Amino acid sequence: MLNKAILALIGALVLGLWFQHIYVNHLKEMVAIERQAAESAEQRTQEARQQTLAAMDELADVERQRRAVEAEIKALQEALAEQAEDYDDLRQRIRRAPASDNGPVAPVLRSTLEALQ
């Protein structure tokens, strides 16, 4: 009877070791799957980081271009304002001119001068 109990105990121990072996193998497989998922996630993170850095570089380039264009627009606006002042001065000088300064003008010149007013 002691032999049967020992055999049953050894059988239970062997069965427990076999189940533990299966469980350990299952855990190893799960660890391998998780490790592969982590590596894949790390790779995607690196790719996303590179894309983000490239987009930030492009954004910085566009921002520099925008500032350059704004400076050019401001310079053009200043030039136009100066031209407008020059035209205003010229118009006022023409309006202040005495009537004796008026004379016959070619029709094409007259229409051009009137268009400038």
Side-chain angles (χ1 to χ4, degrees), residues 89-103 117:
D89 292 343
L90 184 60
R91 284 187 198 111
Q92 288 180 12
R93 196 178 91 202
I94 291 170
R95 287 187 187 118
R96 285 184 297 210
S100 61
D101 286 352
N102 286 338
Q117 294 181 349

Side-chain angles (χ1 to χ4, degrees), residues 73-89 91:
I73 289 172
K74 186 176 179 181
L76 286 173
Q77 287 173 336
E78 290 171 358
L80 288 173
E82 288 176 15
Q83 285 180 356
E85 288 176 14
D86 292 343
Y87 282 129
D88 287 342
D89 292 343
R91 284 187 198 111

Side-chain angles (χ1 to χ4, degrees), residues 22-65:
I22 291 174
Y23 183 66
V24 167
N25 283 339
H26 172 72
L27 290 178
K28 286 180 181 179
E29 290 173 6
M30 295 303 293
V31 167
I33 290 170
E34 292 301 323
R35 184 173 289 134
Q36 184 179 8
E39 289 171 359
S40 176
E42 179 64 28
Q43 183 179 2
R44 288 192 310 270
T45 300
Q46 290 296 330
E47 290 171 1
R49 184 175 291 128
Q50 290 172 351
Q51 290 173 353
T52 300
L53 292 173
M56 290 174 65
D57 288 343
E58 289 178 24
L59 180 62
D61 290 343
V62 168
E63 183 63 23
R64 281 191 291 274
Q65 291 173 357

Side-chain angles (χ1 to χ4, degrees), residues 97-116:
S100 61
D101 286 352
N102 286 338
V105 177
V108 70
L109 181 57
R110 178 184 306 278
S111 66
T112 302
L113 290 173
E114 288 173 355
L116 289 174

